[in-house]
Amino acid sequence: MKVTKLAHLIALMGVVAPAMAQQEQQPMQRVEITGSSIKRVVKEGALPVQTITFDTIRKAGVTDTEQLMRLISANGTGADNMTSGNNVFGADADRVSGGASFASLRGLGPNATLVLLNGRRMGNHGGSGKAVDLNSIPLAAISRVEILKDGASAIYGTDAIGGVVNFILRTDYKGLEASTTLNATEAGGGMERTYSLLGGLGDLNADGWNVMASVTHDVEDKLESRQRDFARGNQPARGLSPDTTGTPYANILTGAGTALGTGFRMPGDPTTYLQAGLLSLQGKCDTVPGMSQYATELWKDVTSPTRTRYSCAYDYGSDYVMAFPTERTTAVSRGTFKINENHRVYAEFTGSRTEATAELTALQISTSLANGNAYPVNGPYYQDLSQYIPTYDRTKPIIYKWRATPWGNRTQYNVSESYRGLLAAEGTLAGKYDYKVGLSKSISTTQTDLVDGYGYTNRIYAALASGIVNPWVAPGQTQTQEATDLIESTKYRGAFQHGRTTMTQLDGSISGEVFNLPAGAVSMAVGVDLRKETYSFGQDVDATTILLSPGNANLDEATRYVRAVYAEAIVPVLKDLEVQLAIRRDNYSLVGATTNPKIAFRYQPTQTFLLRGSAGKGFLAPSFNQLYAGRLAQELPNGIIDQQGCAAHPGDPAYCAIERLDYNTGGNPGLRPETSKQGTLGIVVEPFKNFSASVDWWAINIKDRILNRTPQTVLNNWQYLPQYIVRNAAGVIDHVEAGWINAAGLKTRGVDIGLRYDGKYAGYTYAAVLDGTYLDSFKFAEFEGQPYKEQVSQFSTRDIYLRWKHTLSLTVGKGDWSGLLLQRYASGYNDQLPNNGKGAPPPGFDPRVRHYTKHDVSLTYTGFKNTTLTFGIQNLFDTDPSFTAHNVDEVVGAGWDPRVADPRGRAFSLNLKYKFL
């Protein structure tokens, strides 16, 4: 490590300088602002910090922290919400975060956003272990939320590359108040109810003590795709059609030794076809709800016409649940004792329990002779297609592809619990040094139970082979009671998987003015942060025995220790120029040590002009799951090509047609931390009274991004990833190392814009506020050596990087009345091409997804004694989500995108708050 540079920087910051004479106390209250450990008078600082008050949250009809994050333009547009978080497919999917929501500033992912509660860390989600679950935040008890839109590893350590979200709780409340919020959609479904109680005793200044507590219970009803007209996966004229032949009325497959043989021809047609369905042959696909003739012309590729010409398709995207049914209880309590004017101690407890029922579509099963689940020749429902297909062999069993709806939708019951206890002290020493010290313990657990739709693979296959279950139930028919009982006997219901994280933290800091310069006093802070973190994840049943189980990953409890020291200084270089210097060294027991400095400046030559900027380094330590998730040895299917070896040995099957190629996937103990360099430069101006504007340019470069990659991806990029392709002495591939790897990096730049105009006129007070983010570039390279590819305004299956997002609010008040108009805007982007562009899009296809704009309005009245009433309308103009033609296999949502839009439609909310004391 560069110890000399570290020592020089610490010396520059004045850590080694002797304390000077005591300074006079500030006449105004000094507070700690997110992004600094030094208390000071609140003012526009060197770093861009956005503040959202609880009053704004309440009037906006926001009932949970996931909705709150949608109001922050700097937050990413990704699958970090409860609807889409567990339904994004591919290597980057997170299958252990059921019922959780996360923040993702700058679109860098939940791991790169630090979430704090009163300036201190919380334990990560017990399932994924990657970040703080926003559902564990006691929203009803917060005073405000501060969002630092800049990297802060030099202050807070890991996770803060994208920025910091700091939830500030009420800390000194006296009285008793109850509140309730009802939020109902006009079109039905998705009803939300919130009940909250807040109470406190004692006055800290007068009595020397205060005890407060708050508890909130939220209930959110299920919202299904079938309850919204825009959520349809079958709109072929617009480029959207189901790409599946797994239908509730099964399609028959071809295969040696089966009724259809290895292929069939229709009379007078020389083409060999590979799949057929009776309803398709009859032109009656649409007689079964959700089914339609497969749109072969839309999904063109080498095999589709021969596979799908005589097949039905199924709009299973319309089976998805838009919003999970959820119940959530959060609580916070705090007791504060004032020892004297300079010292106080307090104890704090927060807890939460979230119950969410995730519901996915029914099993899709492709039977085969090898699996022993073909439909038998003597079965009572044996389907004979010989009148349509002359070569159909009625003496052979049938293999088929079926959406097994009689098993029911795959339903998972997720329970997440989070608890944190804190014992802390704070105050001043020698009349001028602020100190704080705290010891906390956080525990987060998750439990997932399978409720319906899952079963033991061997039992399901045996049930299908019996012929008792009918895969061709015609409209108006049902399974027999015998079949229903047999299906029920195959199911698995019960505990499936569980996870647990803990964090024990001891932290302390001291700050104050240490000596004078000609331009003013130098303020300093030094601190220490010691943490013990653990994570475990396990299966309650062998997932390999469950058909289409959500996963099979075990991680015995892993432990790591973090030791960190940091220092910070605010140096008045000139009368109008101050510089913030910070440095932090973190030592992780598993991945080593890292040192991260930061410098920021604030220059204000006049009352109406401020220039500010920052530059620093950051890091993101690999998570437990990324390091130690179970390594699974698996095999790739036959016929894999070693592109490098086959080019040198053409025709050699050892290189050009590899059989049974082994690969490993899962955690990687050799992962390095992600590292970043970032900077900001901005101005704040007040050209005339009551109006201010801020423009902050920001840039972030990240190296060694930690990504989950499949063996096929590694093989296809052999020239960039040779270290993950293990060869024997002859140069033949022995196996492939896949899973979590350090890839290349990303570069992103943008501009945050803030406008505010407020004042008074004719007895009215008003304020108009704009928070907007313009994303100039988000370039990403999957592997070192590959060119960086621009992602802004392009469709992606994980995150969409929109060019422009903003939240605009207008508040007006007079006397007992106040009103709020809120607009949320997300710019359009290039849509996913149907079939990934393999065929020509239909004439009605629009290659752009239109922008999405949502307006909310509320009116608040406080004229009744001790009572506050707020009536609101969310989505005032009942704006549907913008149409997108993406295939639901890759991102949940048929015809719309939950990462961008709100599916609830117009909704009406009523908030009633009554203060008893």
Side-chain angles (χ1 to χ4, degrees), residues 793 795 800 802 826-832 845-852 881-886 895-897 900:
S793 296
F795 175 85
I800 298 178
L802 301 180
S827 63
Y829 56 94
N830 293 331
D831 205 355
Q832 181 184 36
F845 175 70
D846 186 349
R848 289 284 293 179
V849 177
R850 290 177 54 82
H851 67 266
Y852 176 73
S882 302
F883 173 79
T884 169
H886 72 69
W896 72 289
D897 199 316
V900 179

Side-chain angles (χ1 to χ4, degrees), residues 605-788:
T606 69
Q607 289 292 323
T608 60
F609 178 82
L610 168 68
L611 178 66
R612 62 188 177 189
S614 67
K617 292 184 177 181
F619 80 105
L620 175 60
S623 69
F624 283 111
N625 190 50
Q626 292 167 343
L627 287 168
Y628 295 120
R631 297 294 289 174
L632 301 178
Q634 303 182 60
E635 290 183 349
L636 286 170
N638 293 341
I640 296 298
I641 299 175
D642 173 7
Q643 298 182 34
Q644 181 183 17
C646 189
H649 306 85
D652 188 338
Y655 301 93
C656 304
I658 305 173
E659 295 184 4
R660 303 172 67 85
L661 180 61
D662 295 331
Y663 72 93
N664 297 323
T665 187
N668 180 358
L671 288 174
R672 302 181 302 277
E674 295 182 12
T675 59
S676 68
K677 295 180 180 180
Q678 50 231 71
T680 65
L681 183 64
I683 61 171
V684 182
V685 296
E686 189 176 342
F688 51 87
K689 186 179 180 181
N690 299 333
F691 175 78
S692 64
S694 64
V695 178
D696 290 280
W697 172 86
W698 52 266
I700 305 172
N701 290 353
I702 299 179
K703 292 179 60 179
D704 290 330
R705 286 277 283 173
I706 300 173
L707 300 174
N708 196 0
R709 288 297 171 252
T710 65
Q712 292 90 340
T713 300
V714 174
L715 288 167
N716 291 338
N717 294 274
W718 58 269
Q719 63 272 51
Y720 305 111
L721 300 171
Q723 68 272 34
Y724 297 107
I725 302 175
V726 182
R727 301 177 182 273
N728 60 24
V732 176
I733 298 178
D734 179 78
H735 68 277
V736 176
E737 293 290 342
W740 294 103
I741 66 172
N742 283 108
L746 64 82
K747 301 175 182 178
T748 180
R749 282 108 177 87
V751 178
D752 291 329
I753 298 176
L755 303 174
R756 181 180 182 89
Y757 182 70
D758 56 23
K760 297 181 179 180
Y761 179 77
Y764 289 91
T765 60
Y766 59 86
V769 180
L770 171 75
D771 166 47
T773 296
Y774 177 85
L775 187 56
D776 179 61
S777 177
F778 195 105
K779 291 183 177 180
F780 175 68
E782 293 214 26
F783 310 111
E784 194 67 41
Q786 282 188 336
Y788 281 75

Side-chain angles (χ1 to χ4, degrees), residues 282-546:
Q282 296 175 340
K284 296 181 179 179
C285 287
D286 57 1
T287 60
V288 175
M291 284 176 47
S292 59
Q293 175 60 44
Y294 191 95
T296 301
E297 69 284 354
L298 185 62
W299 296 102
K300 291 178 181 177
D301 59 29
V302 176
T303 62
S304 274
T306 59
R307 180 174 62 87
T308 61
R309 172 65 180 84
Y310 296 104
S311 301
C312 297
Y314 182 59
D315 180 15
Y316 63 100
S318 294
D319 284 344
Y320 275 88
V321 173
M322 291 176 161
F324 298 159
T326 305
E327 287 198 39
R328 181 185 306 110
T329 301
T330 57
V332 58
S333 61
R334 181 181 175 110
T336 306
F337 178 71
K338 187 176 180 181
I339 299 176
N340 53 43
E341 291 300 320
N342 295 320
H343 306 282
R344 61 180 180 176
V345 296
Y346 60 92
E348 184 178 277
F349 172 81
T350 59
S352 70
R353 177 183 171 91
T354 300
E355 303 173 41
T357 304
E359 194 170 317
L360 309 176
T361 56
L363 295 166
Q364 179 177 267
I365 302 174
S366 293
T367 65
S368 67
L369 296 180
N371 286 331
N373 52 12
Y375 195 83
V377 174
N378 59 352
Y381 309 110
Y382 187 90
Q383 195 165 80
D384 183 2
L385 302 185
S386 58
Q387 63 175 308
Y388 303 97
I389 302 172
T391 58
Y392 195 86
D393 189 346
R394 294 173 292 178
T395 67
K396 298 289 195 310
I398 300 171
I399 60 174
Y400 54 89
K401 192 173 186 179
W402 186 37
R403 178 70 60 176
T405 53
W407 265 263
N409 284 350
R410 287 168 288 170
T411 307
Q412 306 167 20
Y413 174 66
N414 301 284
V415 177
S416 300
E417 295 183 346
S418 296
Y419 304 98
R420 189 187 78 157
L422 168 69
L423 182 63
E426 60 183 25
T428 58
L429 298 172
K432 64 174 182 176
Y433 295 114
D434 299 307
Y435 76 90
K436 64 176 184 179
V437 61
L439 176 65
S440 64
K441 174 82 172 187
S442 299
I443 300 174
S444 178
T445 63
T446 62
Q447 176 67 50
T448 297
D449 295 344
L450 302 185
V451 178
D452 199 15
Y454 294 95
Y456 293 99
T457 303
N458 58 349
R459 295 184 188 179
I460 293 176
Y461 285 178
L464 298 179
S466 71
I468 297 174
V469 178
N470 183 6
W472 301 285
V473 174
Q477 297 179 342
T478 60
Q479 298 285 341
T480 65
Q481 187 61 48
E482 182 184 16
T484 301
D485 294 341
L486 179 59
I487 289 170
E488 186 63 28
S489 71
T490 71
K491 292 184 177 181
Y492 174 80
R493 291 188 173 96
F496 180 70
Q497 61 189 19
H498 59 273
R500 186 176 189 267
T501 64
T502 70
M503 183 186 71
T504 304
Q505 180 179 30
L506 174 63
D507 67 272
S509 68
I510 185 169
S511 65
E513 297 177 355
V514 292
F515 63 92
N516 286 326
L517 291 176
V522 175
S523 297
M524 284 290 311
V526 292
V528 62
D529 181 6
L530 306 175
R531 302 197 305 275
K532 176 185 177 182
E533 301 173 347
T534 70
Y535 175 60
S536 62
F537 186 82
Q539 303 286 156
D540 299 301
V541 64
D542 183 359
T544 61
T545 66
I546 308 297

Side-chain angles (χ1 to χ4, degrees), residues 727-915:
R727 301 177 182 273
N728 60 24
V732 176
I733 298 178
D734 179 78
H735 68 277
V736 176
E737 293 290 342
W740 294 103
I741 66 172
N742 283 108
L746 64 82
K747 301 175 182 178
T748 180
R749 282 108 177 87
V751 178
D752 291 329
I753 298 176
L755 303 174
R756 181 180 182 89
Y757 182 70
D758 56 23
K760 297 181 179 180
Y761 179 77
Y764 289 91
T765 60
Y766 59 86
V769 180
L770 171 75
D771 166 47
T773 296
Y774 177 85
L775 187 56
D776 179 61
S777 177
F778 195 105
K779 291 183 177 180
F780 175 68
E782 293 214 26
F783 310 111
E784 194 67 41
Q786 282 188 336
Y788 281 75
K789 184 178 179 181
E790 185 60 70
Q791 302 291 327
V792 174
S793 296
Q794 303 297 320
F795 175 85
S796 171
T797 58
R798 187 61 181 85
D799 289 81
I800 298 178
Y801 302 99
L802 301 180
R803 180 71 70 186
W804 172 256
K805 292 170 62 177
H806 78 240
T807 298
L808 175 65
S809 65
L810 173 64
T811 58
V812 179
K814 183 179 182 180
D816 296 326
W817 294 91
S818 64
L820 170 68
L821 174 63
L822 189 69
Q823 180 195 71
R824 185 163 66 88
Y825 176 89
S827 63
Y829 56 94
N830 293 331
D831 205 355
Q832 181 184 36
L833 291 177
N835 200 21
N836 290 323
K838 295 178 181 178
F845 175 70
D846 186 349
R848 289 284 293 179
V849 177
R850 290 177 54 82
H851 67 266
Y852 176 73
T853 308
K854 178 173 174 281
H855 295 86
D856 305 329
V857 63
S858 69
L859 189 64
T860 299
Y861 180 67
T862 58
F864 300 118
K865 184 179 179 180
N866 299 332
T867 303
T868 301
L869 281 170
T870 300
F871 174 74
I873 304 176
Q874 289 74 49
N875 200 344
L876 179 64
F877 302 110
D878 200 20
T879 303
D880 284 342
S882 302
F883 173 79
T884 169
H886 72 69
N887 184 10
V888 73
D889 271 338
E890 296 172 327
V891 181
V892 66
W896 72 289
D897 199 316
R899 298 171 297 178
V900 179
D902 183 350
R904 301 180 76 241
R906 184 183 291 122
F908 305 95
S909 65
L910 176 64
N911 175 266
L912 169 63
K913 183 177 73 173
Y914 183 79
K915 191 165 185 178

Side-chain angles (χ1 to χ4, degrees), residues 102-393:
F102 302 99
S104 177
L105 293 180
R106 305 301 184 204
L108 299 179
N111 297 40
T113 298
L114 180 60
V115 175
L116 303 175
L117 187 65
N118 288 342
R120 283 187 166 94
R121 286 178 174 266
M122 303 175 63
N124 286 344
H125 181 248
S128 64
K130 66 180 181 181
V132 173
D133 177 14
L134 296 178
N135 293 324
S136 66
I137 305 292
L139 189 64
I142 71 168
S143 172
R144 66 188 185 276
V145 184
E146 294 179 350
I147 303 98
L148 173 63
K149 303 178 183 181
D150 188 25
S153 289
I155 303 294
Y156 301 111
T158 188
D159 307 340
I161 289 179
V164 180
V165 182
N166 190 6
F167 293 87
I168 311 297
L169 296 176
R170 302 184 191 187
T171 57
D172 185 13
Y173 178 81
K174 183 179 180 181
L176 178 64
E177 68 179 50
S179 66
T180 183
T181 299
L182 306 177
N183 191 305
T185 62
E186 183 176 20
M191 176 76 174
E192 298 176 350
R193 299 171 293 281
T194 299
Y195 312 96
S196 183
L197 187 66
L198 172 65
L201 296 172
D203 186 291
L204 196 58
N205 292 323
D207 305 323
W209 61 274
N210 174 260
V211 177
M212 59 159 286
S214 172
V215 62
T216 302
H217 184 66
D218 302 301
V219 180
E220 300 174 11
D221 292 345
K222 179 167 64 173
L223 176 60
E224 301 180 83
S225 293
R226 60 176 58 93
Q227 294 177 284
R228 296 295 183 267
D229 292 337
F230 58 79
R232 292 182 293 113
N234 187 27
Q235 303 181 58
R238 305 174 76 177
L240 176 61
S241 184
D243 182 25
T244 179
T245 55
T247 52
Y249 191 99
N251 287 298
I252 298 177
L253 305 175
T254 54
T258 69
L260 269 185
T262 57
F264 66 92
R265 294 180 180 178
M266 300 298 286
D269 185 349
T271 305
T272 299
Y273 294 98
L274 302 176
Q275 188 172 298
L278 177 61
L279 294 184
S280 176
L281 293 167
Q282 296 175 340
K284 296 181 179 179
C285 287
D286 57 1
T287 60
V288 175
M291 284 176 47
S292 59
Q293 175 60 44
Y294 191 95
T296 301
E297 69 284 354
L298 185 62
W299 296 102
K300 291 178 181 177
D301 59 29
V302 176
T303 62
S304 274
T306 59
R307 180 174 62 87
T308 61
R309 172 65 180 84
Y310 296 104
S311 301
C312 297
Y314 182 59
D315 180 15
Y316 63 100
S318 294
D319 284 344
Y320 275 88
V321 173
M322 291 176 161
F324 298 159
T326 305
E327 287 198 39
R328 181 185 306 110
T329 301
T330 57
V332 58
S333 61
R334 181 181 175 110
T336 306
F337 178 71
K338 187 176 180 181
I339 299 176
N340 53 43
E341 291 300 320
N342 295 320
H343 306 282
R344 61 180 180 176
V345 296
Y346 60 92
E348 184 178 277
F349 172 81
T350 59
S352 70
R353 177 183 171 91
T354 300
E355 303 173 41
T357 304
E359 194 170 317
L360 309 176
T361 56
L363 295 166
Q364 179 177 267
I365 302 174
S366 293
T367 65
S368 67
L369 296 180
N371 286 331
N373 52 12
Y375 195 83
V377 174
N378 59 352
Y381 309 110
Y382 187 90
Q383 195 165 80
D384 183 2
L385 302 185
S386 58
Q387 63 175 308
Y388 303 97
I389 302 172
T391 58
Y392 195 86
D393 189 346

